[in-house]
Amino acid sequence: MNLLCSDGLVDDNAFNVEDSICQIDDLAAKVAGFTDCSTHLLTQFADVLQGSEVLWRLYCLARGLIVVGEFEYCQEEQDLELDADWSKADRHLIHGLLGQTRHGTCASMPVLYVAVGRLLGYPLHLVHSLGHVFARWDGMDHPWPAWRELRNAEFTSGFDSMTDEEYHEFPLKLPKEIHEMERLRQPNPLYLRNLNASEELASCLVQRAHAFEARNSFDIAMDAYKSACNLAPQNDT
């Protein structure tokens, strides 16, 4: 769905959605092979991985994609004090990661990593914090006991697993007024909650809208914003 949201935004005539999906399938197969060859890490880094199969698999997912895909965070978007440059859509939608630039941001990297992880059967979700998107492994109901964990996954700078409380400060500090608004929204807050499928698509559509708005294509941007609002009406942002 994220690839479809790139329609009309890709300058590379060679871009093809079906080819990109095949590329994602290939990435998943290579990450699976990398994971199978990395069981030694569970003992080698037992203190860091806390003896957790989940953390090991998430680490292998992150490391495998960095090695195989050569993905990296877009250098020009690292200063969060500056507004994102949405005129360059390849930084914010996953076609940029799958194209020649191989770079992205928190708007695209977690999306691709979650897509690959789901092909491996991992119970991964996208989650929003203030000004940020990250991934979460939520296997609390999984039939396999070793996967019954709840772990956040930060894929934008290698790999890290942070607590929800740490996302109150990272990458932006959550102001007191937003804390209060989140309290009033319970049990369905905007932030630090697994997105459902409609909300994931809405998030991609907002990225599409931002990109077209930056190009002064306001009619297309408005259509995307409207669709996002219809898909996630409870999100008042």
Side-chain angles (χ1 to χ4, degrees):
M1 297 307 298
N2 189 281
L3 289 167
L4 292 176
C5 286
S6 299
D7 184 43
L9 292 167
V10 186
D11 299 324
D12 183 1
N13 292 328
F15 171 76
N16 180 279
V17 170
E18 288 75 17
D19 289 345
S20 296
I21 291 172
C22 289
Q23 189 179 161
I24 295 171
D25 290 340
D26 183 59
L27 287 170
K30 289 178 178 177
V31 169
F34 179 87
T35 304
D36 290 341
C37 295
S38 302
T39 53
H40 64 283
L41 296 176
L42 264 173
T43 52
Q44 184 176 343
F45 299 110
D47 54 341
V48 177
L49 296 177
Q50 304 169 26
S52 166
E53 180 181 333
V54 170
L55 282 179
W56 166 68
R57 289 187 177 278
L58 289 171
Y59 173 80
C60 289
L61 172 62
R63 185 64 186 160
L65 285 174
I66 290 172
V67 171
V68 173
E70 300 181 345
F71 303 133
E72 62 180 5
Y73 198 94
C74 179
Q75 296 293 319
E76 292 81 2
E77 298 287 347
Q78 288 190 334
D79 188 349
L80 297 179
E81 297 298 322
L82 302 176
D83 291 335
D85 186 353
W86 284 96
S87 67
K88 296 179 173 61
D90 64 334
R91 298 179 179 179
H92 308 288
L93 291 156
I94 67 172
H95 70 273
L97 288 164
L98 299 171
Q100 294 183 350
T101 58
R102 315 303 279 186
H103 65 199
T105 62
C106 76
S108 58
M109 295 181 77
V111 175
L112 179 60
Y113 283 47
V114 165
V116 171
R118 286 178 177 172
L119 288 173
L120 300 176
Y122 297 167
L124 291 176
H125 303 266
L126 293 173
V127 184
H128 286 166
S129 63
L130 183 63
H132 189 54
V133 185
F134 62 96
R136 176 179 289 152
W137 177 296
D138 188 347
M140 299 308 290
D141 297 324
H142 201 277
W144 183 246
W147 287 21
R148 291 175 192 160
E149 291 192 38
L150 194 66
R151 299 278 188 176
N152 294 329
E154 188 61 47
F155 292 126
T156 52
S157 55
F159 172 69
D160 195 8
S161 182
M162 299 167 55
T163 66
D164 283 3
E165 288 70 24
E166 288 177 293
Y167 281 108
H168 291 166
E169 304 288 333
F170 174 87
L172 301 171
K173 184 178 178 62
L174 205 63
K176 290 182 178 179
E177 57 270 24
I178 293 185
H179 270 294
E180 176 60 18
M181 290 172 66
E182 286 290 88
R183 186 185 67 80
L184 295 174
R185 289 190 181 105
Q186 296 297 334
N188 293 305
L190 289 182
Y191 301 125
L192 304 177
R193 174 179 58 79
N194 297 348
L195 299 183
N196 62 36
S198 294
E199 291 168 327
E200 288 178 347
L201 176 53
S203 183
C204 296
L205 282 165
V206 167
Q207 293 158 22
R208 173 178 172 82
H210 289 345
F212 274 108
E213 186 177 359
R215 297 183 179 203
N216 296 325
S217 297
F218 299 115
D219 289 345
I220 301 176
M222 185 60 72
D223 285 342
Y225 281 130
K226 286 180 179 178
S227 296
C229 289
N230 288 335
L231 285 163
Q234 75 285 356
N235 189 329
D236 54 15
T237 62

